[in-house]
Amino acid sequence: NRISPVTSAAMAVLVLASASLIAWNIQLSRSLNDQASALAEQSRFLQAIASGTEVHHIAGIDANSGARAVLVQEPGSEQAFLIVKGLPGLPEWMEYQVWLIGGEGSTPLGAGTFSVSDPDGQLVTVAADFSTADALGISIEPKGGSPAPIGDIVLLSEL
């Protein structure tokens, strides 16, 4: 028994439609997961504010004087939140790195990296122990970060 050309064409259309629906479903699932992660981060941020936080304003320096950040730190927690605004996007091989800066002569400690997804403002979670930090800086580093700051420092403030 041979399959007619009309039946073959109909089957091909069904296979293509099924493949398109599967691809759309995967994309939708990823989008929902991203939204759920963002909402969970915002919820943790609001809980930190509600539990009494320390807030530090961090100014942009030099060419980035229009940039700024606010560090929201829950006392006793090794997690803080940065709200960054006005930082420009970087080439894909670079990103911003957060530095905890101790007393005079101490080596800055890297506390994570991030890319700018929204120059109008975004929330960045920083997991680090701030108890020995006297200052916080943000620099431009190669993607993946550096063991010590080698790029331009764009934001800096005492804590």
Side-chain angles (χ1 to χ4, degrees):
N1 289 336
R2 288 187 53 197
I3 299 175
S4 74
V6 172
T7 304
S8 293
M11 289 173 58
V13 168
L14 284 173
V15 167
L16 286 173
S18 295
S20 295
L21 285 173
I22 289 169
W24 178 71
N25 190 17
I26 290 170
Q27 181 181 6
L28 183 59
S29 178
R30 286 183 184 150
S31 177
L32 288 173
N33 287 340
D34 290 347
Q35 287 179 356
S37 294
L39 285 173
E41 183 176 48
Q42 290 171 3
S43 177
R44 288 190 307 270
F45 172 69
L46 291 173
Q47 288 172 356
I49 289 175
S51 66
T53 60
E54 295 179 32
V55 176
H56 305 278
H57 295 272
I58 304 163
I61 58 174
D62 298 331
N64 294 288
S65 61
R68 58 192 178 279
V70 175
L71 175 70
V72 177
Q73 179 186 3
E74 186 177 1
S77 174
E78 290 189 8
Q79 180 174 330
F81 300 93
L82 273 173
I83 302 169
V84 294
K85 184 172 180 155
L87 288 176
L90 296 172
E92 67 181 46
W93 62 87
M94 302 186 86
E95 59 190 345
Y96 294 99
Q97 187 164 0
V98 179
W99 298 98
L100 301 180
I101 303 166
E104 190 173 323
S106 67
T107 303
L109 176 64
T113 60
F114 66 94
S115 297
V116 171
S117 59
D118 185 354
D120 291 331
Q122 77 182 61
L123 182 64
V124 177
T125 301
V126 180
D129 179 5
F130 286 82
S131 64
T132 60
D134 296 329
L136 182 135
I138 297 176
S139 66
I140 299 173
E141 302 296 337
K143 191 160 190 86
S146 299
I150 57 174
D152 292 338
I153 295 178
V154 296
L155 292 158
L156 182 64
S157 178
E158 290 183 9
L159 296 180

